[in-house]
Structures are given as structure tokens and as C-alpha cells.
Amino acid sequence: DAGVTQSPTHLIKTRGQQVTLRCSPKSGHDTVSWYQQALGQGPQFIFQYYEEEERQRGNFPDRFSGHQFPNYSSELNVNALLLGDSALYLCASSHSTGQETQYFGPGTRLLVL
Amino acid sequence: GQNIDQPTEMTATEGAIVQINCTYQTSGFNGLFWYQQHAGEAPTFLSYNVLDGLEEKGRFSSFLSRSKGYSYLLLKELQMKDSASYLCAVRSDSNYQLIWGAGTKLIIKP
């Protein structure tokens, strides 16, 4: 049973560039949540996708956008990268009720220079 | 506002017991989670409490008091591999998102 997978594992970009991160949920899960985790901090909720739509969004600017595909996989896009976007980006999957435990992928570490 | 507080760092000895506290103030409550996170890795699920009381799972136990906005994670028979950050997260009413504490870094000494 495959767990949550994310790609790439590491990424280096420069300010102003755009980045796309990818996530495949755990088998049987249909909901994907994205988080940003700065060093030494807890994860910060970016948004959650269910049925190919953004169900809920945290306090992040419109530069952060996403997509969910019919196979439940998801992408996180960040435009006009800032130095402060450097962080670990985590994807978590769960069942659609929203009451279920979230299981995390290994994360993508993004460095913006 | 919504807030979750945990101690920043704790130190304990191998073989001992440690209790990591978490207090929360949220607009509602629909469950509290504890996750373990080793440096550079993703959080892994440890426990879930939605009703008051103690949930035991092997060497780990988690307690919840909703009236006090308080939870703790109890780790017994500490092993060196338990050195990690422990994150407390709350799901508030009608929200799908989790609100996270900053985590408690636990250092285990021989």
C-alpha cells in the first residue's frame, strides 16, 4: 500500500521564478491538503482540495494556487517566488469526511535564492 | 484568535518518562492530534483525541481535557530514536484545516 508521495524532494529557484510541486495521495484517500513549514515552526495550512476543487484556504496570497486531478493527485503552484517562500512544503492526504487523520508525504524542500 | 502553545524544548533520559504539554485556544474544537517529526522528515501520526480522557497506544499515551483546553503526550521507556519534534494540532469546528503548534523538540540523553 503506497503512502503519500511528493516530487521533487529538493528544489532550488531564484526570486521571481515559478514552481510546481506534485503530490500523490495514499491509496483510498481523495482529499489533499498542502502545508508550508518554515524551519523550527509548525506547518501552516495553505489549502485543501477535494473533488478537484479548493475546499478551504489558509492565509496565503494568490501567488499560491493549486489543482487536483481526477485521480486525486494534486499540484501546488507558487508564482513570483520570494526569499520567504523557502520552506518545506508538505502534502497530506485523508478521506473526504474531513474528520479523518491526515497522513503526510516526505515533503519538498524549496530554497529560493 | 487561535493559538496553540507547547514548550519549545525538553530534555529527558533514556528509559525515563516524559510528558509534553499542549494548551489551545481555538474558535471551536473537533479533535486534537499529536505528530512526531524527525529532523528533515515529514510528520508521522501518533494519536488522536476527540473526547476527554486518556488514549493509550504502546509506549505513547495522549490525554485531553476539553474544558481546560489542554492535552499532553506521555512517552514511556524513552529510547534514543524518540529524539524528535512533537507537534500538537487542533481541528476546530466545521473546519477541515489543522491548526498547529510550533512543536516541542525532545532531546534524549543516554
Side-chain angles (χ1 to χ4, degrees), chain B:
Chain B
Q2 310 207 84
N3 195 49
I4 296 181
D5 288 316
Q6 306 178 234
T8 303
E9 188 174 296
M10 298 181 70
T11 302
T13 304
E14 191 177 15
I17 299 173
V18 70
Q19 177 175 312
I20 302 174
N21 295 326
C22 170
T23 57
Y24 62 89
Q25 292 176 305
T26 56
S27 57
F29 180 84
N30 196 17
L32 185 144
F33 297 81
W34 284 97
Y35 282 80
Q36 180 192 59
Q37 187 175 29
H38 286 100
E41 298 182 9
T44 55
F45 170 72
L46 290 178
S47 69
Y48 170 65
N49 294 72
V50 67
L51 299 175
D52 290 350
L54 188 68
E55 293 281 342
E56 297 186 80
K57 194 185 287 187
R59 293 190 299 115
F60 293 6
S61 303
S62 57
F63 171 83
L64 174 67
S65 169
R66 289 172 295 171
S67 62
K68 295 181 180 178
Y70 168 70
S71 173
Y72 67 72
L73 180 69
L74 191 72
L75 292 77
K76 303 175 186 175
E77 301 168 15
L78 286 170
Q79 302 173 9
M80 297 303 293
K81 67 178 182 179
D82 297 330
S83 291
S85 285
Y86 291 84
L87 296 159
C88 172
V90 171
R91 184 164 52 211
S92 56
D93 268 347
S94 73
N95 273 347
Y96 300 104
Q97 66 172 297
L98 296 179
I99 302 159
W100 295 79
T104 298
K105 183 178 180 181
L106 178 63
I107 300 168
I108 309 297
K109 295 185 174 179

Side-chain angles (χ1 to χ4, degrees), chain A:
Chain A
D1 178 21
V4 182
T5 60
Q6 291 186 244
S7 63
T9 55
H10 295 81
L11 205 50
I12 299 175
K13 292 285 188 179
T14 56
R15 279 179 298 175
Q17 285 190 310
Q18 178 263 345
V19 68
T20 298
L21 311 181
R22 295 176 177 81
C23 171
S24 290
K26 183 178 167 68
S27 178
H29 286 180
D30 56 9
T31 301
V32 173
S33 302
W34 285 93
Y35 294 88
Q36 180 194 67
Q37 187 178 25
L39 206 59
Q41 299 296 317
Q44 298 292 314
F45 176 75
I46 303 174
F47 40 54
Q48 185 181 85
Y49 275 84
Y50 168 65
E51 289 191 340
E52 302 179 50
E53 298 216 348
E54 184 183 288
R55 178 154 71 175
Q56 189 167 33
R57 188 180 183 91
N59 190 25
F60 277 79
D62 292 344
R63 298 187 297 110
F64 289 76
S65 64
H67 189 77
Q68 186 178 34
F69 299 94
N71 67 352
Y72 308 123
S73 67
S74 177
E75 288 182 349
L76 164 65
N77 300 292
V78 187
N79 293 324
L81 283 166
L82 303 174
L83 296 180
D85 295 332
S86 295
L88 178 67
Y89 287 84
L90 295 163
C91 164
S93 74
S94 57
H95 281 293
S96 57
T97 62
Q99 304 300 310
E100 302 293 326
T101 299
Q102 295 185 5
Y103 292 89
F104 285 84
T108 295
R109 187 160 296 281
L110 173 66
L111 178 61
V112 182
L113 300 176

